[in-house]
C-alpha cells in the first residue's frame, strides 16, 4: 500500500509537472513582457531626464562659445583696425600727392591738347572746303576737254 501511494504520487507529480511546463513557459513569457515594460518605462523616464539635463548643459556651452567667439572677433577687429589705419593713411597720402603732381601738369597738358585739336580741326575744315571748291571748278573743264590719244601704238605679239 505504501508503495502504491508512493508510485501514484510520483506518477501524478510527473504528470503534473509535464502539464505545468507549458503553463510555466507561458507565465515566464508574460513575466518577461511585464518586466521589460517596467524596465523600459524606467529607462525611458531616465533618458528623458538625462536629455533635459544635457539640453541645459548644451545651451550653456553654446552661450559660452558664443561669448568667446564674440570676444575673439572683437580682438581681431581691433588688431586689424590698428594695422589697417596706418596703411590707409599712407595710401591716401600717396594718392593725394600723386594726384597733385599729376593734376598740375595734366591740366596744362589737357588745355594744350584741346587747343591743338581745335586748330587741327579748323585747318582740316579749311582744307576740306578748298578741296571741294576745286572739285566743283574742275568738273566742267574736264567734261569739255576731249581725251587725247597719246599716239602710242600697242605692240601686238606675233606668233
Amino acid at each position: 500500500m505504501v508503495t502504491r501511494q508512493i508510485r501514484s504520487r510520483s506518477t501524478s507529480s510527473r504528470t503534473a509537472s509535464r502539464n505545468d511546463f507549458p503553463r510555466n513557459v507561458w507565465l515566464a513569457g508574460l513575466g518577461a513582457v511585464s518586466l521589460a515594460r517596467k524596465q523600459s518605462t524606467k529607462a525611458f523616464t531616465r533618458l528623458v531626464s538625462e536629455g533635459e539635463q544635457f539640453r541645459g548643459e548644451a545651451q550653456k556651452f553654446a552661450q559660452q562659445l558664443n561669448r568667446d567667439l564674440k570676444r575673439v572677433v572683437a580682438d581681431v577687429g581691433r588688431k586689424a583696425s590698428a594695422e589697417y589705419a596706418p596703411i590707409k593713411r599712407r595710401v591716401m597720402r600717396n594718392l593725394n600727392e600723386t594726384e597733385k603732381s599729376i593734376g598740375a601738369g595734366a591740366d596744362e597738358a589737357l588745355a594744350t591738347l584741346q587747343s591743338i585739336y581745335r586748330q587741327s580741326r579748323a585747318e582740316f575744315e579749311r582744307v576740306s572746303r578748298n578741296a571741294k571748291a576745286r572739285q566743283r571748278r574742275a568738273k566742267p573743264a574736264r567734261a569739255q576737254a576731249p581725251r587725247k590719244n597719246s599716239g602710242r601704238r600697242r605692240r601686238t605679239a606675233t606668233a
Side-chain angles (χ1 to χ4, degrees), residues 9-26:
R9 281 186 188 167
S10 67
T11 309
S12 65
S13 68
R14 284 184 191 162
T15 308
S17 68
R18 284 184 189 159
N19 291 337
D20 286 344
F21 182 74
R23 183 173 180 264
N24 287 342
V25 169
W26 184 75

Side-chain angles (χ1 to χ4, degrees), residues 102-115:
I102 290 175
D107 291 340
E108 293 172 13
L110 182 62
T112 304
L113 285 174
Q114 287 174 341
S115 173

Side-chain angles (χ1 to χ4, degrees), residues 1-41:
M1 202 190 248
V2 176
T3 56
R4 251 187 183 176
Q5 287 178 348
I6 294 174
R7 279 189 184 165
S8 67
R9 281 186 188 167
S10 67
T11 309
S12 65
S13 68
R14 284 184 191 162
T15 308
S17 68
R18 284 184 189 159
N19 291 337
D20 286 344
F21 182 74
R23 183 173 180 264
N24 287 342
V25 169
W26 184 75
L27 289 174
L30 281 178
V33 170
S34 174
L35 184 62
R37 187 187 59 129
K38 288 177 186 176
Q39 288 179 353
S40 68
T41 303

Side-chain angles (χ1 to χ4, degrees), residues 2 32 37 40 44 46 48 69 75 100-101 111 132 135 149:
V2 176
R37 187 187 59 129
S40 68
F44 181 76
R46 227 177 339 167
V48 168
L69 285 175
D75 289 344
K100 287 178 186 175
S101 67
K132 286 179 184 176
Q135 283 178 351
N149 195 352

Side-chain angles (χ1 to χ4, degrees), residues 35-142:
L35 184 62
R37 187 187 59 129
K38 288 177 186 176
Q39 288 179 353
S40 68
T41 303
K42 288 179 185 177
F44 181 76
T45 305
R46 227 177 339 167
L47 289 172
V48 168
S49 66
E50 190 68 29
E52 288 173 350
Q53 289 176 358
F54 184 74
R55 184 184 69 188
E57 292 172 9
Q59 283 178 339
K60 288 178 185 176
F61 177 75
Q63 289 169 351
Q64 182 63 38
L65 184 62
N66 193 14
R67 283 191 297 269
D68 291 346
L69 285 175
K70 284 182 180 179
R71 211 174 301 125
V72 167
V73 167
D75 289 344
V76 168
R78 280 192 294 274
K79 288 178 183 176
S81 293
E83 294 291 324
Y84 171 72
I87 293 171
K88 181 181 177 184
R89 282 193 298 271
R90 199 172 338 151
V91 167
M92 292 307 292
R93 186 179 22 181
N94 288 343
L95 282 174
N96 288 335
E97 290 173 5
T98 304
E99 184 180 355
K100 287 178 186 175
S101 67
I102 290 175
D107 291 340
E108 293 172 13
L110 182 62
T112 304
L113 285 174
Q114 287 174 341
S115 173
I116 292 171
Y117 172 76
R118 282 192 293 269
Q119 290 172 359
S120 298
R121 184 74 182 163
E123 182 68 20
F124 175 77
E125 288 175 6
R126 187 183 63 78
V127 169
S128 177
R129 280 192 307 267
N130 289 343
K132 286 179 184 176
R134 272 190 240 128
Q135 283 178 351
R136 280 191 299 251
R137 286 186 297 229
K139 279 186 182 179
R142 286 185 184 165

